[in-house]
Amino acid sequence: MPWQVLVLVVLVCRCAAVLEDEEGDFEEFEHDFDFGLPEEDDIEDTVLEGEEEGTDEEDEEGFDDVDLDSDEFEEGHEPGVIDKLKIAEPAVRRKPFWEAYVLEILVVTGMVLYMGNYFIGRGRNSALAQAWLNDHMDLLQANFSLVGDNGEGEEPTEEHVVKESDSVFTLWASGRHSCNGMLVQMKFHRRHDLLSVLLSLFRSQPDTVTVVFQLGEEDMDSYVLALGQKKAVQRMQKEYEDLSNYCPTVRPGSKNSLDETFWVLSEIPEATSAVLSHTTLQFLNKHASAIESLHISDQYTGFVQNNEDSEVVVVRQPQKRIQITYRGTQPTSPHPSPSTCTTHFSPSLTITRVVVATTERESMLRSILGLLDHVRGVHLTREAREKAAKNRARVAQSRDKLQHAQRQEAAQQRREEKKRAEKERLMAQTDPEKTRKWEEREHKKAMRRSQPKMKQMKVRLG
C-alpha cells in the first residue's frame, strides 16, 4: 500500500506542474510590442507646428493659392506622421511532444495501477483465507469429521475454501455431536479495489470472521439473545426478524457484568444469566475489542421481510443457530515474507510474534467451540419456558392476522376486477335495458351492505 500512495503523490505533483507550464505559455504575450510608432506628445507637437506654418501662409497668400490636387491630400496623411509601421514578430515556443498527450498518459497510468492493484489484492485475500484454514486445521479436524467440503461432486472433499467473491470466502465443516454443521465466512477488506484501498487510509476497514453453528431440535431451549457493540446490535435489531419480534429493548451490558462496550438484546432474563456464565464472561471481556456481535436464537428466520411489496406473507421455518462475528487478525502466511512479519533486531522476536498471533487465534476459535457446548447445556425453568411459549404464540397470532388481512385484500381486489370486467362487457353490448337492470342490481347490493345489521329477538308473554 505505501507504493500506491507514493505513485498517487507523484501523479498529483505532475498534474500541478503541467498546469503551471500551461499558464506560463501565455506569459510571452503579456509584453508590450514596439511597432515603431512615435510617442503621443511628439505627434501633437508635429501637428501643431504644421498648423502654425499653414496659418501664416494662408494669411499671406490666401486660400486661392492652395493646391488641392497635391500629393499630400491624395495620400490622406498629415505631415509628420510615419507612414510605415514596424511590427516585431514574437518568438514561437514549441511544446514537448509528450505534453500534447497528458490526459492519455494519466488514463493509461491509472488503468495500469488499477489492474496491478486488482491482481495483487485478489491474490492477497486468497492467501489470507488459505492461511486461516492452515492455522486452524488441526483444531477443526479434532472437532469435526469433515472439514473444507466444497460441495462439488458426489464424493466429499476436504481442505477447500470456497471463494464467493474476491473478498468473501466460506468454509464448511460437519460431523460433530452438538451441532448439525459449522459455516465460517471470512470477509476481508476489498484489497482488489484501488478506491477502497485509498479510502482505507482515512477509515480503517478490518477483516471479519463470522462463525455460524446450526443446531438440532433438541440441542437448545427456546430463547433469543444477542449482544455486541452498540452500532452492531442496533443494526441487527432492525435487520433480523427474530430480534425485532422478541427483543424490543436494548440494554447496556454492564448490568450483566460485561464490558462497557457491549449492549444486550434479551428475550428472557433467566436465559441471559444462564448463558453468561463465569467462563463466558471471561471470554467475552478478554476479546471485547475484537468481538463485534453474538447472536443466539431458536427462532432465526433471516432478515425482516418487506410485506408492503409482497401480496402474501411467506412463513419461513425457524432455525436454531449460534452466530458470532469478530474482527480477525491477519493469519500468518504459509511462507512468511519480510514484509509481513520481520524485525530488524532479532529473528527470534519474529518467531515469537508469529507463535503468539497463531495461539491467540486458536484460543478464539477454541473458546467459540466451548461456548457452543455451554449453550447446548443451558436449560430453562418451567416458568421461563412458559413465557417463551407465550411470546411465540403472540408472534404467530400477529403473523396469522397479517396473513388474513392480506388474503382479504387480495379477495377484494379480485372481486373488483371481476365487477369491472362484467361492466365493460355490458357496456360493449347495444341493449340499454340490460345495462339499466345491472346498474339497479348493483345499487341495491350497495345499499344493502351500507345498512346496519339488526338483530331480531322474539319475546314470549304470559
Side-chain angles (χ1 to χ4, degrees):
M1 188 164 60
W3 66 269
Q4 298 167 350
V5 178
L6 179 62
V7 171
L8 180 63
V9 172
V10 171
L11 287 177
V12 172
C13 296
R14 185 56 197 161
C15 293
V18 170
L19 293 176
E20 291 180 359
D21 293 342
E22 292 180 355
E23 292 179 357
D25 294 342
F26 297 95
E27 293 180 356
E28 60 189 26
F29 297 102
E30 296 179 359
H31 301 288
D32 296 334
F33 295 105
D34 185 11
F35 294 100
L37 293 174
E39 299 294 335
E40 184 177 356
D41 296 338
D42 297 340
I43 296 175
E44 292 180 357
D45 296 340
T46 306
V47 173
L48 290 175
E49 291 177 359
E51 290 179 354
E52 291 177 357
E53 293 176 358
T55 306
D56 296 339
E57 292 178 357
E58 288 175 359
D59 293 340
E60 296 176 358
E61 300 178 0
F63 291 98
D64 295 335
D65 297 336
V66 177
D67 187 5
L68 299 177
D69 297 333
S70 62
D71 295 338
E72 292 184 18
F73 289 94
E74 291 178 358
E75 295 175 358
H77 295 286
E78 295 182 359
V81 180
I82 300 176
D83 297 334
K84 190 174 182 181
L85 300 178
K86 296 180 180 180
I87 301 175
E89 296 182 358
V92 179
R93 179 178 177 272
R94 295 183 178 180
K95 296 182 179 180
F97 177 78
W98 65 271
E99 290 189 4
Y101 299 95
V102 173
L103 182 59
E104 288 79 358
I105 293 175
L106 292 177
V107 171
V108 173
T109 304
M111 293 176 63
V112 171
L113 288 176
Y114 188 87
M115 295 303 296
N117 179 81
Y118 174 78
F119 290 108
I120 294 175
R122 186 180 64 174
R124 176 62 176 165
N125 285 340
S126 300
L128 288 175
Q130 188 63 39
W132 191 95
L133 176 60
N134 295 336
D135 291 342
H136 299 85
M137 180 56 68
D138 295 338
L139 180 61
L140 292 175
Q141 288 181 347
N143 288 270
F144 296 91
S145 61
L146 180 62
V147 178
D149 184 17
N150 57 5
E152 298 179 359
E154 298 180 356
E155 297 295 331
T157 58
E158 294 187 7
E159 301 183 8
H160 283 89
V161 177
V162 180
K163 181 179 179 182
E164 303 292 340
S165 65
D166 292 331
S167 59
V168 179
F169 299 83
T170 57
L171 174 68
W172 175 259
S174 61
R176 197 173 192 270
H177 68 280
S178 59
C179 67
N180 296 336
M182 182 188 72
L183 178 65
V184 180
Q185 183 186 51
M186 293 168 279
K187 189 174 182 180
F188 299 111
H189 171 53
R190 296 171 59 87
R191 294 179 176 86
H192 60 281
D193 188 4
L194 183 59
L195 181 60
S196 299
V197 173
L198 296 178
L199 291 177
S200 64
L201 299 177
F202 307 97
R203 183 180 179 182
S204 61
Q205 299 178 359
D207 301 333
T208 60
V209 179
T210 302
V211 182
V212 179
F213 297 103
Q214 296 181 358
L215 306 181
E217 292 295 332
E218 304 297 332
D219 294 336
M220 175 183 171
D221 278 353
S222 298
Y223 60 90
V224 179
L225 170 65
L227 59 88
Q229 307 297 325
K230 185 175 182 180
K231 292 183 178 180
V233 170
Q234 291 176 348
R235 185 184 66 252
M236 292 170 61
Q237 187 183 21
K238 295 179 181 179
E239 292 179 353
Y240 291 103
E241 188 175 9
D242 57 340
L243 295 178
S244 61
N245 292 332
Y246 297 98
C247 305
T249 307
V250 181
R251 296 183 177 87
S254 57
K255 296 182 179 180
N256 299 97
S257 302
L258 287 169
D259 191 80
E260 296 180 354
T261 59
F262 284 122
W263 290 72
V264 179
L265 284 169
S266 177
E267 178 193 6
I268 301 175
E270 181 183 341
T272 306
S273 302
V275 172
L276 298 179
S277 61
H278 179 70
T279 305
T280 306
L281 288 174
Q282 284 184 344
F283 159 64
L284 294 176
N285 293 330
K286 179 182 178 181
H287 303 281
S289 59
I291 296 176
E292 185 174 338
S293 63
L294 172 63
H295 185 191
I296 304 174
S297 176
D298 73 312
Q299 295 291 316
Y300 178 81
T301 54
F303 294 101
V304 177
Q305 301 183 45
N306 190 3
N307 298 325
E308 296 179 358
D309 298 338
S310 59
E311 297 182 355
V312 180
V313 177
V314 179
V315 180
R316 294 174 291 187
Q317 186 68 24
Q319 300 177 0
K320 294 185 177 182
R321 58 183 269 165
I322 302 174
Q323 175 179 324
I324 182 170
T325 302
Y326 65 93
R327 303 182 186 94
T329 57
Q330 292 187 0
T332 56
S333 166
H335 305 285
S337 60
S339 60
T340 55
C341 53
T342 57
T343 178
H344 300 285
F345 302 100
S346 174
S348 61
L349 181 59
T350 302
I351 298 174
T352 305
R353 286 181 179 178
V354 173
V355 172
V356 170
T358 306
T359 306
E360 183 179 357
R361 288 190 298 274
E362 288 183 356
S363 65
M364 172 73 78
L365 184 58
R366 194 183 303 275
S367 300
I368 293 174
L369 294 173
L371 177 63
L372 169 64
D373 297 331
H374 174 66
V375 170
R376 187 172 178 269
V378 172
H379 299 286
L380 302 179
T381 60
R382 184 181 63 181
E383 291 79 7
R385 289 196 296 269
E386 290 178 355
K387 183 179 180 180
K390 290 180 180 179
N391 293 336
R392 279 141 188 77
R394 173 181 53 82
V395 173
Q397 184 178 4
S398 61
R399 188 186 298 114
D400 293 340
K401 288 182 179 180
L402 182 59
Q403 287 181 343
H404 180 67
Q406 289 184 347
R407 284 194 296 266
Q408 284 186 340
E409 185 179 356
Q412 180 66 22
Q413 187 176 1
R414 288 193 299 268
R415 285 194 298 267
E416 291 178 357
E417 292 178 355
K418 183 179 179 180
K419 186 185 300 183
R420 190 182 304 110
E422 186 178 358
K423 184 177 180 179
E424 291 177 356
R425 182 178 59 82
L426 290 175
M427 294 297 292
Q429 295 179 2
T430 57
D431 190 359
E433 186 66 22
K434 292 183 179 180
T435 305
R436 185 183 60 81
K437 290 181 179 180
W438 180 84
E439 291 178 353
E440 291 179 356
R441 186 169 61 253
E442 293 296 328
H443 179 69
K444 289 180 180 179
K445 289 182 180 179
M447 293 297 294
R448 194 182 305 114
R449 284 194 297 267
S450 62
Q451 291 179 356
K453 296 182 179 180
M454 303 294 293
K455 294 184 178 180
Q456 296 181 358
M457 298 181 62
K458 295 181 180 180
V459 180
R460 294 183 180 180
L461 298 176

